[in-house]
């Protein structure tokens, strides 16, 4: 289960950061608690919001009021003596996003926030979305876990496909890690978004502080992605062939993008850095203690500097 130390509710434009989510509430013995959606605030890009904001001073460093005419235009009142807020910043996107809060449940020392996201029309510009929820101060010390199982970016849909459809054909291990790198993209048709790239699956077992690769492979090609109301999904994958058909199939699939693909696939230093970066993200998302990875018969390489 992927945890995140923030939750959200109301949709505002601007700001971005990476998020980690859980896909279910593991312990069903929980009870719902009330929450309030904070309306008519906007992110000012001056500060970096913390997971939980418990003081008015810290809140004002990151958010400003967006007052408009009428009663509905007034910002939601927040009493930091009795309440705290939790904010969440979605990645930037050319697609309109609408966040729908469903419920907040408390169990032990954890709050589970269930929500869904609807993806609207493509825009001619990038938007970044932030949302805020107000909760009673009684629950201020509890960890907040997002509960969602949607793919709201192309890359999330690609990673899910690689794990579920490509990873199943390799010898299994503790961790199935997808890697990807974009060569080009054509998202003019939301029913068939074309994503040319290099894609890998590596399966690792953790031994001490090292992730040891037990299986995996490279799968360059063209992913076909469809936009749905609830996000994105891979609907087809044109893979470059092996053996004698490798070169002709690569040229056919990548077309005028072949030179860019060839340059990327031939750069060993670039590939090493890509693995370091994305494996570091995976380890952080899954709370892994490993700091190195090791391919078979090769020395281990640090992907994360260990703490002293």
């Amino acid at each position: 289960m992927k945890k995140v130390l923030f939750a959200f509710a109301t949709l505002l434009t601007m700001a971005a950061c990476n998020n980690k989510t859980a896909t279910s509430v593991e312990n069903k013995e929980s009870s719902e608690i009330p929450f309030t959606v904070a309306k008519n605030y906007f992110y000012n890009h001056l500060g970096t919001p913390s997971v939980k904001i418990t003081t008015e001073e810290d809140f004002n460093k990151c958010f400003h009021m967006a007052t408009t005419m009428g009663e509905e235009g007034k910002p939601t009142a927040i009493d930091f003596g009795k309440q705290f807020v939790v904010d969440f910043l979605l990645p930037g996107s050319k697609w309109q996003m609408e966040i729908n809060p469903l419920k907040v449940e408390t169990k032990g020392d954890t709050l589970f926030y269930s929500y869904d996201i609807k993806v609207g029309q493509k825009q001619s510009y990038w938007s970044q979305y932030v949302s805020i929820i107000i909760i009673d101060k009684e629950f201020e010390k509890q960890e907040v876990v997002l509960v969602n199982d949607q793919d709201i970016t192309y890359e999330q849909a690609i990673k899910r496909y690689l794990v579920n459809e490509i990873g199943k054909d390799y010898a299994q291990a503790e961790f199935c890690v997808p890697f990807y790198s974009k060569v080009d993209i054509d998202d003019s048709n939301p029913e068939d978004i074309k994503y040319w790239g290099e894609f890998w699956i590596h399966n690792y077992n953790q031994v001490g502080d090292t992730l040891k690769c037990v299986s995996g492979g490279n799968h360059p090609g063209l992913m076909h992605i469809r936009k749905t109301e609830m996000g994105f999904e891979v609907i087809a994958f044109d893979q470059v062939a092996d053996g004698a058909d490798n070169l002709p199939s690569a040229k056919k699939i990548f077309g005028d993008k072949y030179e860019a693909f060839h340059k990327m696939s031939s750069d060993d230093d670039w590939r090493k850095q890509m693995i370091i970066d994305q494996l570091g993200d995976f380890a952080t998302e899954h709370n892994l203690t490993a700091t190195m990875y090791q391919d078979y018969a090769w020395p281990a390489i640090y992907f994360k500097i260990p703490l002293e």
Side-chain angles (χ1 to χ4, degrees):
M1 181 173 69
K2 301 178 184 179
K3 281 192 172 183
V4 65
L5 299 179
F6 28 73
F8 61 83
T10 190
L11 180 65
L12 302 168
T13 56
M14 304 185 184
C17 77
N18 293 329
N19 63 293
K20 301 164 237 177
T21 62
T23 58
S24 64
V25 179
E26 292 182 344
N27 194 320
K28 300 302 182 181
E29 295 180 6
S30 59
S31 58
E32 289 191 37
I33 65 170
F35 62 89
T36 301
V37 171
K39 298 179 180 179
N40 297 322
Y41 291 96
F42 67 92
Y43 179 57
N44 60 23
H45 291 275
L46 299 178
T48 302
S50 59
V51 170
K52 297 176 186 176
I53 301 179
T54 59
T55 69
E56 183 175 3
E57 179 183 4
D58 288 340
F59 184 80
N60 290 338
K61 289 178 181 178
C62 300
F63 299 100
H64 287 168
M65 296 182 179
T67 304
T68 57
M69 296 294 291
E71 286 297 317
E72 294 297 319
K74 292 182 179 180
T76 305
I78 306 171
D79 183 352
F80 282 97
K82 299 178 181 179
Q83 301 165 319
F84 70 100
V85 303
V86 186
D87 62 88
F88 176 71
L89 302 166
L90 282 177
S93 175
K94 287 186 177 181
W95 299 89
Q96 297 172 346
M97 300 282 182
E98 179 185 344
I99 304 169
N100 298 304
L102 302 177
K103 61 183 176 181
V104 178
E105 299 172 278
T106 179
K107 173 59 183 176
D109 60 357
T110 304
L111 292 178
F112 294 93
Y113 192 98
S114 299
Y115 68 94
D116 64 31
I117 298 173
K118 291 187 177 180
V119 181
Q121 299 298 312
K122 185 182 176 184
Q123 306 170 129
S124 60
Y125 53 90
W126 285 83
S127 293
Q128 297 176 315
Y129 300 91
V130 60
S131 56
I132 303 168
I133 187 172
I134 306 170
I135 303 175
D136 192 279
K137 210 169 186 69
E138 173 187 354
F139 304 98
E140 183 179 293
K141 302 298 183 182
Q142 294 186 247
E143 180 184 26
V144 179
V145 176
L146 295 182
V147 182
N148 181 265
D149 193 26
Q150 294 174 246
D151 299 321
I152 61 169
T153 68
Y154 307 147
E155 289 75 18
Q156 286 176 326
I158 287 169
K159 288 191 290 185
R160 182 189 295 270
Y161 181 87
L162 289 172
V163 169
N164 293 342
E165 302 301 326
I166 305 298
K168 66 183 181 182
D169 295 328
Y170 287 98
Q172 299 301 292
E174 289 182 80
F175 305 105
C176 182
V177 185
F179 299 92
Y180 63 91
S181 187
K182 180 181 71 175
V183 173
D184 203 355
I185 188 169
D186 177 2
D187 57 6
S188 59
N189 179 7
E191 293 297 316
D192 186 12
I193 298 164
K194 296 179 176 64
Y195 193 112
W196 291 268
E198 284 257 48
F199 310 102
W200 296 260
I201 278 290
H202 288 178
N203 287 319
Y204 297 96
N205 285 329
Q206 182 170 345
V207 180
D209 59 0
T210 303
L211 293 175
K212 295 195 173 187
C213 187
V214 299
S215 65
N218 174 222
H219 299 266
L222 169 60
M223 293 270 188
H224 297 267
I225 303 169
R226 176 172 59 200
K227 186 194 84 69
T228 71
E229 188 180 57
M230 303 305 289
F232 299 93
E233 61 180 352
V234 175
I235 56 176
F237 183 25
D238 302 333
Q239 293 191 57
V240 172
D242 293 326
D245 293 329
N246 179 266
L247 182 59
S249 66
K251 289 186 174 181
K252 179 179 180 181
I253 290 171
F254 284 93
D256 60 1
K257 304 163 185 59
Y258 175 77
E259 290 303 322
F261 159 69
H262 179 68
K263 181 179 180 180
M264 177 185 291
S265 63
S266 302
D267 190 336
D268 292 337
D269 291 336
W270 165 84
R271 184 183 300 105
K272 176 181 175 181
Q273 190 59 51
M274 181 275 301
I275 292 175
I276 288 173
D277 292 342
Q278 295 188 26
L279 193 55
D281 291 340
F282 181 91
T284 299
E285 291 173 4
H286 292 79
N287 298 316
L288 302 187
T289 57
T291 57
M292 296 186 289
Y293 75 94
Q294 184 177 23
D295 293 331
Y296 182 74
W298 288 87
I301 298 173
Y302 279 108
F303 64 82
K304 182 170 63 175
I305 301 301
L307 296 176
E308 295 295 339

